[in-house]
Amino acid sequence: MIQTDICIIGAGPVGLFAVFEAGLLKMRCHLVDALPQIGGQLSEIYPQKPIYDIPGFPSINAQELVDNLMKQIEPFKPSFTLGERVETVNRQEDKSFILRTNEGTEIHCKVIVIAAGLGSFEPRKPAIEKLEEFEGKGVAYMVKNPEHFRNKKIVLAGGGDSALDWTIFLSDVAERVTLVHRGETFRGAPDSAEKVFEMAKEGKIDLVLKSNITKIDGNGQLKEVHITSTEGAASVVAADHLIPLFGLSPKLGPIAEWGLQIDKSQIAVDTTDYSTNVEGIYAIGDINTYTGKLKLILCGFHEGAIMMQSAFKHVFPDQRLSFKYTTVNGVNAF
Ligand code: FAD
């Protein structure tokens, strides 16, 4: 069981900066994110877009902001569970909480901060017969650790950047990579598409165009992928893993089940400290709602600073908090 003062659900920009504010008050944080990488919407949706409204930065690239935030919180040594979604929250007799992820990881904490943005990014699942039966038994919707696919037969499906990028990357790791795409051209970056066509020509990968995966099969573990072309020709490819990459869409998911006051898929908070209706649980960033709310990164940063002052009383009930500037507190807290 992971032990921490504060468990932050969501490692987007707001969750990351909250670690800094907690660290100044000597509170330790563990972050959980359903995505395999940190950065929330910035890394997942618009890593190369410039952002113009971060104070002190006339322009900053989204991924650079995430990298900077990671550097800023480094002194506070946060720990991370990535690629896992928080499913349940249980309050203990002493008012602390135990959170459990979909993969069984348990986190024990005194305070929960929900910085879950638009919700958990869930994979768009294609209509393939028996797809869900083989989830975790060969079917995966994201690549958490490429080493998992070393010397394996991989079938990828999709026509966007993720499908192209992972085809290129895994071709050096896997025994064989097959990319199945329903079109003839790709939506992803032209450079990547060109590389994939070239690799297929050189025989480094198998490229199956104008085709759909219709069914998968195996014996408790995935063994084969059935493909049908738009002209109706059927074929079967041996596969250890199928990775359908048809994008992600955010869903509030299990957060709706935790007894929180939800208003139009967002969590209602008290703006004096961004606390929710459940004592010890706070909500900051895009996930919360209140009169005048603006879904901006800088507003989430502000909310994190205010809420950590309030969280202090749950983590250190016997201590009095006196506000200090960073020059006084320093950042080498641990
Ligand atoms: P997010 O960035 O959404 O991160 C939340 C994280 O929580 C996600 O990674 C998600 O996987 C995770 N999560 C959710 N539920 C769970 C769960 N149950 N278990 C585990 N993990 C979970 N804002 C600006 O200020 N300036 C801009 O220029 C700007 N441009 C934008 C451009 C675009 C195209 C978009 C889409 C948004 C833009 N925004 C901009 C808005 C900005 O991205 C958001 O305000 C910001 O990302 C909110 O940060 P967050 O940390 O609250 O949430």
Side-chain angles (χ1 to χ4, degrees), residues 9-15 32-35 40-42 45-46 49 51 53 84-86 115-121 255 284-286 295-297:
I9 302 173
V14 174
V32 187
D33 203 298
L35 292 173
Q41 294 172 54
L42 284 70
I45 303 178
Y46 59 97
K49 186 184 94 72
I51 303 174
D53 51 359
E84 296 183 28
R85 188 172 84 157
V86 177
L118 305 171
S120 161
F121 286 97
I255 292 172
I284 55 174
D286 278 14
K295 287 191 182 187
L296 286 175
I297 298 163

PDB file of all heavy atoms in Angstrom, residues 9-15 32-35 40-42 45-46 49 51 53 84-86 115-121 255 284-286 295-297, ligand 1:
ATOM      1  N   ILE A   9      -5.500  13.004  -7.821  1.00  0.00           N
ATOM      2  CA  ILE A   9      -6.019  12.223  -8.954  1.00  0.00           C
ATOM      3  C   ILE A   9      -5.938  13.113 -10.183  1.00  0.00           C
ATOM      4  O   ILE A   9      -6.679  14.100 -10.305  1.00  0.00           O
ATOM      5  CB  ILE A   9      -7.474  11.774  -8.701  1.00  0.00           C
ATOM      6  CG1 ILE A   9      -7.542  10.946  -7.414  1.00  0.00           C
ATOM      7  CG2 ILE A   9      -8.001  10.974  -9.896  1.00  0.00           C
ATOM      8  CD1 ILE A   9      -8.953  10.601  -6.976  1.00  0.00           C
ATOM      9  N   GLY A  10      -5.014  12.805 -11.076  1.00  0.00           N
ATOM     10  CA  GLY A  10      -4.821  13.609 -12.281  1.00  0.00           C
ATOM     11  C   GLY A  10      -3.467  14.297 -12.252  1.00  0.00           C
ATOM     12  O   GLY A  10      -3.181  15.100 -11.356  1.00  0.00           O
ATOM     13  N   ALA A  11      -2.620  13.945 -13.242  1.00  0.00           N
ATOM     14  CA  ALA A  11      -1.285  14.558 -13.327  1.00  0.00           C
ATOM     15  C   ALA A  11      -1.229  15.541 -14.487  1.00  0.00           C
ATOM     16  O   ALA A  11      -0.257  15.605 -15.232  1.00  0.00           O
ATOM     17  CB  ALA A  11      -0.216  13.473 -13.463  1.00  0.00           C
ATOM     18  N   GLY A  12      -2.309  16.302 -14.647  1.00  0.00           N
ATOM     19  CA  GLY A  12      -2.317  17.411 -15.609  1.00  0.00           C
ATOM     20  C   GLY A  12      -1.578  18.587 -14.988  1.00  0.00           C
ATOM     21  O   GLY A  12      -1.015  18.469 -13.881  1.00  0.00           O
ATOM     22  N   PRO A  13      -1.563  19.753 -15.656  1.00  0.00           N
ATOM     23  CA  PRO A  13      -0.798  20.884 -15.123  1.00  0.00           C
ATOM     24  C   PRO A  13      -1.232  21.294 -13.722  1.00  0.00           C
ATOM     25  O   PRO A  13      -0.393  21.647 -12.888  1.00  0.00           O
ATOM     26  CB  PRO A  13      -1.076  22.011 -16.141  1.00  0.00           C
ATOM     27  CG  PRO A  13      -2.332  21.614 -16.845  1.00  0.00           C
ATOM     28  CD  PRO A  13      -2.308  20.114 -16.877  1.00  0.00           C
ATOM     29  N   VAL A  14      -2.531  21.210 -13.452  1.00  0.00           N
ATOM     30  CA  VAL A  14      -3.046  21.673 -12.159  1.00  0.00           C
ATOM     31  C   VAL A  14      -2.643  20.706 -11.040  1.00  0.00           C
ATOM     32  O   VAL A  14      -2.192  21.129  -9.977  1.00  0.00           O
ATOM     33  CB  VAL A  14      -4.581  21.874 -12.253  1.00  0.00           C
ATOM     34  CG1 VAL A  14      -5.178  22.204 -10.898  1.00  0.00           C
ATOM     35  CG2 VAL A  14      -4.900  22.974 -13.275  1.00  0.00           C
ATOM     36  N   GLY A  15      -2.760  19.408 -11.298  1.00  0.00           N
ATOM     37  CA  GLY A  15      -2.326  18.404 -10.317  1.00  0.00           C
ATOM     38  C   GLY A  15      -0.840  18.537 -10.044  1.00  0.00           C
ATOM     39  O   GLY A  15      -0.391  18.452  -8.896  1.00  0.00           O
ATOM     40  N   VAL A  32      -1.903   9.970  -9.340  1.00  0.00           N
ATOM     41  CA  VAL A  32      -2.364   8.840 -10.157  1.00  0.00           C
ATOM     42  C   VAL A  32      -2.950   9.416 -11.435  1.00  0.00           C
ATOM     43  O   VAL A  32      -3.719  10.386 -11.385  1.00  0.00           O
ATOM     44  CB  VAL A  32      -3.481   8.041  -9.437  1.00  0.00           C
ATOM     45  CG1 VAL A  32      -3.820   6.779 -10.229  1.00  0.00           C
ATOM     46  CG2 VAL A  32      -3.075   7.691  -8.021  1.00  0.00           C
ATOM     47  N   ASP A  33      -2.563   8.849 -12.573  1.00  0.00           N
ATOM     48  CA  ASP A  33      -3.204   9.292 -13.818  1.00  0.00           C
ATOM     49  C   ASP A  33      -3.523   8.083 -14.692  1.00  0.00           C
ATOM     50  O   ASP A  33      -2.727   7.152 -14.808  1.00  0.00           O
ATOM     51  CB  ASP A  33      -2.326  10.280 -14.596  1.00  0.00           C
ATOM     52  CG  ASP A  33      -3.170  11.144 -15.528  1.00  0.00           C
ATOM     53  OD1 ASP A  33      -3.823  10.583 -16.446  1.00  0.00           O
ATOM     54  OD2 ASP A  33      -3.225  12.371 -15.318  1.00  0.00           O
ATOM     55  N   ALA A  34      -4.683   8.146 -15.303  1.00  0.00           N
ATOM     56  CA  ALA A  34      -5.133   7.053 -16.166  1.00  0.00           C
ATOM     57  C   ALA A  34      -4.283   6.955 -17.433  1.00  0.00           C
ATOM     58  O   ALA A  34      -4.201   5.889 -18.051  1.00  0.00           O
ATOM     59  CB  ALA A  34      -6.596   7.268 -16.534  1.00  0.00           C
ATOM     60  N   LEU A  35      -3.651   8.058 -17.811  1.00  0.00           N
ATOM     61  CA  LEU A  35      -2.810   8.041 -19.011  1.00  0.00           C
ATOM     62  C   LEU A  35      -1.414   7.522 -18.657  1.00  0.00           C
ATOM     63  O   LEU A  35      -0.983   7.660 -17.517  1.00  0.00           O
ATOM     64  CB  LEU A  35      -2.688   9.461 -19.595  1.00  0.00           C
ATOM     65  CG  LEU A  35      -3.960  10.042 -20.196  1.00  0.00           C
ATOM     66  CD1 LEU A  35      -3.748  11.500 -20.580  1.00  0.00           C
ATOM     67  CD2 LEU A  35      -4.396   9.236 -21.415  1.00  0.00           C
ATOM     68  N   GLY A  40      -1.639  15.678 -18.663  1.00  0.00           N
ATOM     69  CA  GLY A  40      -3.067  15.871 -18.936  1.00  0.00           C
ATOM     70  C   GLY A  40      -3.342  16.279 -20.365  1.00  0.00           C
ATOM     71  O   GLY A  40      -2.702  15.774 -21.308  1.00  0.00           O
ATOM     72  N   GLN A  41      -4.270  17.231 -20.543  1.00  0.00           N
ATOM     73  CA  GLN A  41      -4.666  17.668 -21.894  1.00  0.00           C
ATOM     74  C   GLN A  41      -3.472  18.210 -22.684  1.00  0.00           C
ATOM     75  O   GLN A  41      -3.407  18.086 -23.897  1.00  0.00           O
ATOM     76  CB  GLN A  41      -5.733  18.766 -21.803  1.00  0.00           C
ATOM     77  CG  GLN A  41      -7.053  18.302 -21.232  1.00  0.00           C
ATOM     78  CD  GLN A  41      -8.006  19.463 -20.987  1.00  0.00           C
ATOM     79  OE1 GLN A  41      -8.285  20.248 -21.875  1.00  0.00           O
ATOM     80  NE2 GLN A  41      -8.509  19.560 -19.769  1.00  0.00           N
ATOM     81  N   LEU A  42      -2.523  18.835 -21.979  1.00  0.00           N
ATOM     82  CA  LEU A  42      -1.401  19.478 -22.683  1.00  0.00           C
ATOM     83  C   LEU A  42      -0.560  18.452 -23.439  1.00  0.00           C
ATOM     84  O   LEU A  42      -0.207  18.662 -24.606  1.00  0.00           O
ATOM     85  CB  LEU A  42      -0.523  20.261 -21.701  1.00  0.00           C
ATOM     86  CG  LEU A  42      -1.095  21.597 -21.232  1.00  0.00           C
ATOM     87  CD1 LEU A  42      -2.287  21.407 -20.322  1.00  0.00           C
ATOM     88  CD2 LEU A  42      -0.043  22.435 -20.546  1.00  0.00           C
ATOM     89  N   ILE A  45      -3.413  16.239 -25.871  1.00  0.00           N
ATOM     90  CA  ILE A  45      -4.181  16.857 -26.962  1.00  0.00           C
ATOM     91  C   ILE A  45      -3.362  17.870 -27.764  1.00  0.00           C
ATOM     92  O   ILE A  45      -3.473  17.938 -28.981  1.00  0.00           O
ATOM     93  CB  ILE A  45      -5.463  17.548 -26.416  1.00  0.00           C
ATOM     94  CG1 ILE A  45      -6.319  16.535 -25.655  1.00  0.00           C
ATOM     95  CG2 ILE A  45      -6.284  18.172 -27.540  1.00  0.00           C
ATOM     96  CD1 ILE A  45      -7.580  17.110 -25.023  1.00  0.00           C
ATOM     97  N   TYR A  46      -2.541  18.703 -27.068  1.00  0.00           N
ATOM     98  CA  TYR A  46      -1.884  19.779 -27.829  1.00  0.00           C
ATOM     99  C   TYR A  46      -0.436  20.043 -27.391  1.00  0.00           C
ATOM    100  O   TYR A  46      -0.066  21.168 -27.069  1.00  0.00           O
ATOM    101  CB  TYR A  46      -2.736  21.067 -27.781  1.00  0.00           C
ATOM    102  CG  TYR A  46      -3.033  21.648 -26.413  1.00  0.00           C
ATOM    103  CD1 TYR A  46      -2.269  22.691 -25.898  1.00  0.00           C
ATOM    104  CD2 TYR A  46      -4.090  21.190 -25.641  1.00  0.00           C
ATOM    105  CE1 TYR A  46      -2.540  23.250 -24.660  1.00  0.00           C
ATOM    106  CE2 TYR A  46      -4.382  21.733 -24.396  1.00  0.00           C
ATOM    107  CZ  TYR A  46      -3.596  22.758 -23.915  1.00  0.00           C
ATOM    108  OH  TYR A  46      -3.860  23.317 -22.686  1.00  0.00           O
ATOM    109  N   LYS A  49       1.308  23.044 -29.113  1.00  0.00           N
ATOM    110  CA  LYS A  49       0.623  24.343 -29.224  1.00  0.00           C
ATOM    111  C   LYS A  49       1.263  25.367 -28.275  1.00  0.00           C
ATOM    112  O   LYS A  49       1.552  25.046 -27.124  1.00  0.00           O
ATOM    113  CB  LYS A  49      -0.857  24.179 -28.854  1.00  0.00           C
ATOM    114  CG  LYS A  49      -1.683  25.453 -29.094  1.00  0.00           C
ATOM    115  CD  LYS A  49      -3.107  25.277 -28.619  1.00  0.00           C
ATOM    116  CE  LYS A  49      -3.353  25.756 -27.212  1.00  0.00           C
ATOM    117  NZ  LYS A  49      -3.350  27.194 -26.997  1.00  0.00           N
ATOM    118  N   ILE A  51       1.152  28.379 -25.634  1.00  0.00           N
ATOM    119  CA  ILE A  51       0.173  28.919 -24.675  1.00  0.00           C
ATOM    120  C   ILE A  51       0.645  30.338 -24.367  1.00  0.00           C
ATOM    121  O   ILE A  51       1.832  30.557 -24.095  1.00  0.00           O
ATOM    122  CB  ILE A  51       0.136  28.071 -23.387  1.00  0.00           C
ATOM    123  CG1 ILE A  51      -0.173  26.604 -23.736  1.00  0.00           C
ATOM    124  CG2 ILE A  51      -0.893  28.606 -22.405  1.00  0.00           C
ATOM    125  CD1 ILE A  51      -0.088  25.663 -22.547  1.00  0.00           C
ATOM    126  N   ASP A  53      -1.039  32.528 -22.092  1.00  0.00           N
ATOM    127  CA  ASP A  53      -1.586  33.175 -20.883  1.00  0.00           C
ATOM    128  C   ASP A  53      -1.076  32.543 -19.589  1.00  0.00           C
ATOM    129  O   ASP A  53      -1.797  32.456 -18.602  1.00  0.00           O
ATOM    130  CB  ASP A  53      -3.126  33.188 -20.927  1.00  0.00           C
ATOM    131  CG  ASP A  53      -3.722  31.817 -21.208  1.00  0.00           C
ATOM    132  OD1 ASP A  53      -2.950  30.862 -21.384  1.00  0.00           O
ATOM    133  OD2 ASP A  53      -4.960  31.704 -21.256  1.00  0.00           O
ATOM    134  N   GLU A  84      -3.107   4.069 -14.744  1.00  0.00           N
ATOM    135  CA  GLU A  84      -4.132   3.407 -13.921  1.00  0.00           C
ATOM    136  C   GLU A  84      -5.179   4.438 -13.517  1.00  0.00           C
ATOM    137  O   GLU A  84      -4.856   5.587 -13.238  1.00  0.00           O
ATOM    138  CB  GLU A  84      -3.503   2.789 -12.661  1.00  0.00           C
ATOM    139  CG  GLU A  84      -2.527   1.680 -13.005  1.00  0.00           C
ATOM    140  CD  GLU A  84      -1.938   0.995 -11.782  1.00  0.00           C
ATOM    141  OE1 GLU A  84      -2.592   0.967 -10.722  1.00  0.00           O
ATOM    142  OE2 GLU A  84      -0.809   0.497 -11.903  1.00  0.00           O
ATOM    143  N   ARG A  85      -6.437   3.992 -13.493  1.00  0.00           N
ATOM    144  CA  ARG A  85      -7.536   4.893 -13.183  1.00  0.00           C
ATOM    145  C   ARG A  85      -8.011   4.637 -11.759  1.00  0.00           C
ATOM    146  O   ARG A  85      -8.190   3.479 -11.371  1.00  0.00           O
ATOM    147  CB  ARG A  85      -8.669   4.608 -14.163  1.00  0.00           C
ATOM    148  CG  ARG A  85      -9.809   5.577 -14.094  1.00  0.00           C
ATOM    149  CD  ARG A  85     -10.767   5.340 -15.222  1.00  0.00           C
ATOM    150  NE  ARG A  85     -11.699   4.287 -14.885  1.00  0.00           N
ATOM    151  CZ  ARG A  85     -12.889   4.141 -15.453  1.00  0.00           C
ATOM    152  NH1 ARG A  85     -13.264   4.957 -16.406  1.00  0.00           N
ATOM    153  NH2 ARG A  85     -13.687   3.173 -15.106  1.00  0.00           N
ATOM    154  N   VAL A  86      -8.203   5.703 -10.988  1.00  0.00           N
ATOM    155  CA  VAL A  86      -8.741   5.510  -9.631  1.00  0.00           C
ATOM    156  C   VAL A  86     -10.203   5.103  -9.768  1.00  0.00           C
ATOM    157  O   VAL A  86     -11.000   5.793 -10.409  1.00  0.00           O
ATOM    158  CB  VAL A  86      -8.608   6.793  -8.778  1.00  0.00           C
ATOM    159  CG1 VAL A  86      -9.242   6.581  -7.416  1.00  0.00           C
ATOM    160  CG2 VAL A  86      -7.150   7.186  -8.634  1.00  0.00           C
ATOM    161  N   ALA A 115      -7.916  16.431  -9.387  1.00  0.00           N
ATOM    162  CA  ALA A 115      -7.492  17.377 -10.439  1.00  0.00           C
ATOM    163  C   ALA A 115      -7.651  16.641 -11.771  1.00  0.00           C
ATOM    164  O   ALA A 115      -6.719  16.521 -12.555  1.00  0.00           O
ATOM    165  CB  ALA A 115      -6.052  17.817 -10.202  1.00  0.00           C
ATOM    166  N   ALA A 116      -8.865  16.116 -11.951  1.00  0.00           N
ATOM    167  CA  ALA A 116      -9.092  15.140 -13.030  1.00  0.00           C
ATOM    168  C   ALA A 116      -9.547  15.760 -14.349  1.00  0.00           C
ATOM    169  O   ALA A 116      -9.972  15.048 -15.260  1.00  0.00           O
ATOM    170  CB  ALA A 116     -10.105  14.104 -12.553  1.00  0.00           C
ATOM    171  N   GLY A 117      -9.454  17.080 -14.465  1.00  0.00           N
ATOM    172  CA  GLY A 117      -9.714  17.750 -15.745  1.00  0.00           C
ATOM    173  C   GLY A 117     -11.067  17.438 -16.337  1.00  0.00           C
ATOM    174  O   GLY A 117     -12.105  17.619 -15.704  1.00  0.00           O
ATOM    175  N   LEU A 118     -11.052  16.940 -17.559  1.00  0.00           N
ATOM    176  CA  LEU A 118     -12.295  16.613 -18.251  1.00  0.00           C
ATOM    177  C   LEU A 118     -12.784  15.233 -17.852  1.00  0.00           C
ATOM    178  O   LEU A 118     -13.773  14.734 -18.355  1.00  0.00           O
ATOM    179  CB  LEU A 118     -12.066  16.642 -19.770  1.00  0.00           C
ATOM    180  CG  LEU A 118     -11.496  17.941 -20.339  1.00  0.00           C
ATOM    181  CD1 LEU A 118     -11.122  17.768 -21.802  1.00  0.00           C
ATOM    182  CD2 LEU A 118     -12.516  19.060 -20.189  1.00  0.00           C
ATOM    183  N   GLY A 119     -12.019  14.580 -16.989  1.00  0.00           N
ATOM    184  CA  GLY A 119     -12.310  13.201 -16.607  1.00  0.00           C
ATOM    185  C   GLY A 119     -11.209  12.322 -17.141  1.00  0.00           C
ATOM    186  O   GLY A 119     -10.207  12.798 -17.662  1.00  0.00           O
ATOM    187  N   SER A 120     -11.434  11.043 -17.009  1.00  0.00           N
ATOM    188  CA  SER A 120     -10.394  10.102 -17.417  1.00  0.00           C
ATOM    189  C   SER A 120     -10.503   9.853 -18.920  1.00  0.00           C
ATOM    190  O   SER A 120     -11.595   9.636 -19.440  1.00  0.00           O
ATOM    191  CB  SER A 120     -10.648   8.845 -16.591  1.00  0.00           C
ATOM    192  OG  SER A 120     -10.044   7.763 -17.134  1.00  0.00           O
ATOM    193  N   PHE A 121      -9.362   9.943 -19.605  1.00  0.00           N
ATOM    194  CA  PHE A 121      -9.385   9.715 -21.052  1.00  0.00           C
ATOM    195  C   PHE A 121      -9.579   8.220 -21.311  1.00  0.00           C
ATOM    196  O   PHE A 121      -8.728   7.404 -20.943  1.00  0.00           O
ATOM    197  CB  PHE A 121      -8.069  10.180 -21.692  1.00  0.00           C
ATOM    198  CG  PHE A 121      -7.953  11.666 -21.772  1.00  0.00           C
ATOM    199  CD1 PHE A 121      -7.248  12.379 -20.812  1.00  0.00           C
ATOM    200  CD2 PHE A 121      -8.564  12.356 -22.810  1.00  0.00           C
ATOM    201  CE1 PHE A 121      -7.153  13.757 -20.886  1.00  0.00           C
ATOM    202  CE2 PHE A 121      -8.471  13.741 -22.884  1.00  0.00           C
ATOM    203  CZ  PHE A 121      -7.764  14.439 -21.921  1.00  0.00           C
ATOM    204  N   ILE A 255     -15.597   8.784 -10.757  1.00  0.00           N
ATOM    205  CA  ILE A 255     -15.692   9.943  -9.851  1.00  0.00           C
ATOM    206  C   ILE A 255     -17.154  10.222  -9.499  1.00  0.00           C
ATOM    207  O   ILE A 255     -17.476  10.650  -8.396  1.00  0.00           O
ATOM    208  CB  ILE A 255     -15.032  11.184 -10.512  1.00  0.00           C
ATOM    209  CG1 ILE A 255     -13.521  10.963 -10.621  1.00  0.00           C
ATOM    210  CG2 ILE A 255     -15.334  12.466  -9.729  1.00  0.00           C
ATOM    211  CD1 ILE A 255     -12.778  12.013 -11.410  1.00  0.00           C
ATOM    212  N   ILE A 284      -9.866  20.667  -7.920  1.00  0.00           N
ATOM    213  CA  ILE A 284      -9.257  21.858  -8.539  1.00  0.00           C
ATOM    214  C   ILE A 284      -9.082  21.653 -10.043  1.00  0.00           C
ATOM    215  O   ILE A 284      -9.086  20.529 -10.525  1.00  0.00           O
ATOM    216  CB  ILE A 284      -7.877  22.195  -7.882  1.00  0.00           C
ATOM    217  CG1 ILE A 284      -6.929  20.979  -7.931  1.00  0.00           C
ATOM    218  CG2 ILE A 284      -8.065  22.670  -6.454  1.00  0.00           C
ATOM    219  CD1 ILE A 284      -5.511  21.273  -7.436  1.00  0.00           C
ATOM    220  N   GLY A 285      -8.931  22.766 -10.759  1.00  0.00           N
ATOM    221  CA  GLY A 285      -8.726  22.680 -12.209  1.00  0.00           C
ATOM    222  C   GLY A 285     -10.040  22.469 -12.953  1.00  0.00           C
ATOM    223  O   GLY A 285     -11.123  22.721 -12.419  1.00  0.00           O
ATOM    224  N   ASP A 286      -9.935  21.974 -14.177  1.00  0.00           N
ATOM    225  CA  ASP A 286     -11.106  21.876 -15.055  1.00  0.00           C
ATOM    226  C   ASP A 286     -12.248  21.034 -14.497  1.00  0.00           C
ATOM    227  O   ASP A 286     -13.381  21.160 -14.938  1.00  0.00           O
ATOM    228  CB  ASP A 286     -10.693  21.258 -16.404  1.00  0.00           C
ATOM    229  CG  ASP A 286     -10.076  22.281 -17.338  1.00  0.00           C
ATOM    230  OD1 ASP A 286      -9.729  23.374 -16.863  1.00  0.00           O
ATOM    231  OD2 ASP A 286      -9.936  21.981 -18.541  1.00  0.00           O
ATOM    232  N   LYS A 295     -12.106  27.811 -17.227  1.00  0.00           N
ATOM    233  CA  LYS A 295     -11.266  26.622 -17.416  1.00  0.00           C
ATOM    234  C   LYS A 295      -9.937  27.026 -18.026  1.00  0.00           C
ATOM    235  O   LYS A 295      -9.696  26.866 -19.220  1.00  0.00           O
ATOM    236  CB  LYS A 295     -11.989  25.607 -18.304  1.00  0.00           C
ATOM    237  CG  LYS A 295     -13.126  24.919 -17.601  1.00  0.00           C
ATOM    238  CD  LYS A 295     -13.625  23.755 -18.414  1.00  0.00           C
ATOM    239  CE  LYS A 295     -14.788  23.114 -17.701  1.00  0.00           C
ATOM    240  NZ  LYS A 295     -15.236  21.898 -18.331  1.00  0.00           N
ATOM    241  N   LEU A 296      -9.104  27.602 -17.186  1.00  0.00           N
ATOM    242  CA  LEU A 296      -7.776  28.038 -17.610  1.00  0.00           C
ATOM    243  C   LEU A 296      -6.737  27.460 -16.660  1.00  0.00           C
ATOM    244  O   LEU A 296      -7.011  27.297 -15.467  1.00  0.00           O
ATOM    245  CB  LEU A 296      -7.668  29.565 -17.580  1.00  0.00           C
ATOM    246  CG  LEU A 296      -8.376  30.330 -18.684  1.00  0.00           C
ATOM    247  CD1 LEU A 296      -8.279  31.825 -18.423  1.00  0.00           C
ATOM    248  CD2 LEU A 296      -7.794  29.988 -20.051  1.00  0.00           C
ATOM    249  N   ILE A 297      -5.552  27.226 -17.187  1.00  0.00           N
ATOM    250  CA  ILE A 297      -4.484  26.638 -16.371  1.00  0.00           C
ATOM    251  C   ILE A 297      -4.174  27.534 -15.176  1.00  0.00           C
ATOM    252  O   ILE A 297      -4.031  27.077 -14.047  1.00  0.00           O
ATOM    253  CB  ILE A 297      -3.227  26.412 -17.246  1.00  0.00           C
ATOM    254  CG1 ILE A 297      -3.556  25.412 -18.362  1.00  0.00           C
ATOM    255  CG2 ILE A 297      -2.056  25.928 -16.411  1.00  0.00           C
ATOM    256  CD1 ILE A 297      -2.579  25.406 -19.513  1.00  0.00           C
TER     257      ILE A 297
HETATM  258  P1  FAD B   1      -6.232  17.935 -17.356  1.00  0.00           P
HETATM  259  O1  FAD B   1      -5.164  18.595 -18.108  1.00  0.00           O
HETATM  260  O2  FAD B   1      -7.461  17.519 -18.105  1.00  0.00           O
HETATM  261  O3  FAD B   1      -5.617  16.639 -16.636  1.00  0.00           O
HETATM  262  C1  FAD B   1      -6.453  15.787 -15.904  1.00  0.00           C
HETATM  263  C2  FAD B   1      -5.845  14.409 -15.812  1.00  0.00           C
HETATM  264  O4  FAD B   1      -6.633  13.616 -14.914  1.00  0.00           O
HETATM  265  C3  FAD B   1      -5.853  13.655 -17.140  1.00  0.00           C
HETATM  266  O5  FAD B   1      -4.529  13.314 -17.495  1.00  0.00           O
HETATM  267  C4  FAD B   1      -6.717  12.407 -16.856  1.00  0.00           C
HETATM  268  O6  FAD B   1      -6.217  11.238 -17.493  1.00  0.00           O
HETATM  269  C5  FAD B   1      -6.632  12.277 -15.342  1.00  0.00           C
HETATM  270  N1  FAD B   1      -7.781  11.572 -14.738  1.00  0.00           N
HETATM  271  C6  FAD B   1      -9.101  11.881 -14.807  1.00  0.00           C
HETATM  272  N2  FAD B   1      -9.845  11.019 -14.090  1.00  0.00           N
HETATM  273  C7  FAD B   1      -8.973  10.132 -13.548  1.00  0.00           C
HETATM  274  C8  FAD B   1      -9.119   8.978 -12.703  1.00  0.00           C
HETATM  275  N3  FAD B   1     -10.315   8.560 -12.236  1.00  0.00           N
HETATM  276  N4  FAD B   1      -8.010   8.274 -12.363  1.00  0.00           N
HETATM  277  C9  FAD B   1      -6.769   8.676 -12.815  1.00  0.00           C
HETATM  278  N5  FAD B   1      -6.579   9.752 -13.610  1.00  0.00           N
HETATM  279  C10 FAD B   1      -7.664  10.478 -13.960  1.00  0.00           C
HETATM  280  N6  FAD B   1      -5.773  26.675 -21.086  1.00  0.00           N
HETATM  281  C11 FAD B   1      -5.025  27.809 -20.918  1.00  0.00           C
HETATM  282  O7  FAD B   1      -4.888  28.296 -19.800  1.00  0.00           O
HETATM  283  N7  FAD B   1      -4.409  28.391 -21.993  1.00  0.00           N
HETATM  284  C12 FAD B   1      -4.498  27.881 -23.267  1.00  0.00           C
HETATM  285  O8  FAD B   1      -3.933  28.432 -24.207  1.00  0.00           O
HETATM  286  C13 FAD B   1      -5.266  26.676 -23.451  1.00  0.00           C
HETATM  287  N8  FAD B   1      -5.385  26.111 -24.680  1.00  0.00           N
HETATM  288  C14 FAD B   1      -6.098  24.952 -24.827  1.00  0.00           C
HETATM  289  C15 FAD B   1      -6.191  24.346 -26.088  1.00  0.00           C
HETATM  290  C16 FAD B   1      -6.904  23.187 -26.262  1.00  0.00           C
HETATM  291  C17 FAD B   1      -6.969  22.545 -27.623  1.00  0.00           C
HETATM  292  C18 FAD B   1      -7.563  22.580 -25.144  1.00  0.00           C
HETATM  293  C19 FAD B   1      -8.335  21.309 -25.311  1.00  0.00           C
HETATM  294  C20 FAD B   1      -7.491  23.178 -23.888  1.00  0.00           C
HETATM  295  C21 FAD B   1      -6.772  24.368 -23.714  1.00  0.00           C
HETATM  296  N9  FAD B   1      -6.669  24.973 -22.467  1.00  0.00           N
HETATM  297  C22 FAD B   1      -5.910  26.108 -22.311  1.00  0.00           C
HETATM  298  C23 FAD B   1      -7.338  24.423 -21.281  1.00  0.00           C
HETATM  299  C24 FAD B   1      -6.324  23.662 -20.415  1.00  0.00           C
HETATM  300  O9  FAD B   1      -5.723  22.632 -21.183  1.00  0.00           O
HETATM  301  C25 FAD B   1      -7.016  23.088 -19.195  1.00  0.00           C
HETATM  302  O10 FAD B   1      -7.540  24.153 -18.442  1.00  0.00           O
HETATM  303  C26 FAD B   1      -6.017  22.300 -18.348  1.00  0.00           C
HETATM  304  O11 FAD B   1      -5.510  21.194 -19.044  1.00  0.00           O
HETATM  305  C27 FAD B   1      -6.679  21.826 -17.055  1.00  0.00           C
HETATM  306  O12 FAD B   1      -5.723  21.141 -16.329  1.00  0.00           O
HETATM  307  P2  FAD B   1      -6.144  20.019 -15.284  1.00  0.00           P
HETATM  308  O13 FAD B   1      -4.847  19.591 -14.660  1.00  0.00           O
HETATM  309  O14 FAD B   1      -7.255  20.522 -14.448  1.00  0.00           O
HETATM  310  O15 FAD B   1      -6.771  18.816 -16.150  1.00  0.00           O
END
